[in-house]
Amino acid sequence: MAKGPEKNTKNKALHTKLLNRKKIKLQEEKKEKALRLKALVAKMNEKKNNRESDNI
């Protein structure tokens, strides 16, 4: 049986590497966004608590 053309594993490896980089970047951005939101929520809760304590 004749074999088909050789597979281009170099491009496949580069593509996988790029996709992995993209996936990691998206995960890091998601974590950073969650941290920013957590900090913002904490800040808003602190302001809210300060206002309530000032009113009492």
Side-chain angles (χ1 to χ4, degrees), residues 4-16:
E6 290 184 21
K7 292 189 177 184
N8 191 349
T9 57
K10 184 178 179 185
N11 280 345
K12 192 178 262 189
L14 287 175
H15 184 68
T16 303

Side-chain angles (χ1 to χ4, degrees), residues 8-42:
N8 191 349
T9 57
K10 184 178 179 185
N11 280 345
K12 192 178 262 189
L14 287 175
H15 184 68
T16 303
K17 185 177 176 182
L18 288 173
L19 287 180
N20 287 338
R21 255 195 239 162
K22 182 179 178 182
K23 196 184 305 183
I24 290 169
K25 182 180 176 184
L26 290 174
Q27 287 175 348
E28 288 174 356
E29 287 175 354
K30 190 175 179 180
K31 286 179 186 177
E32 288 174 7
K33 186 176 180 182
L35 288 174
R36 281 196 306 268
L37 279 173
K38 196 178 281 190
L40 184 63
V41 168

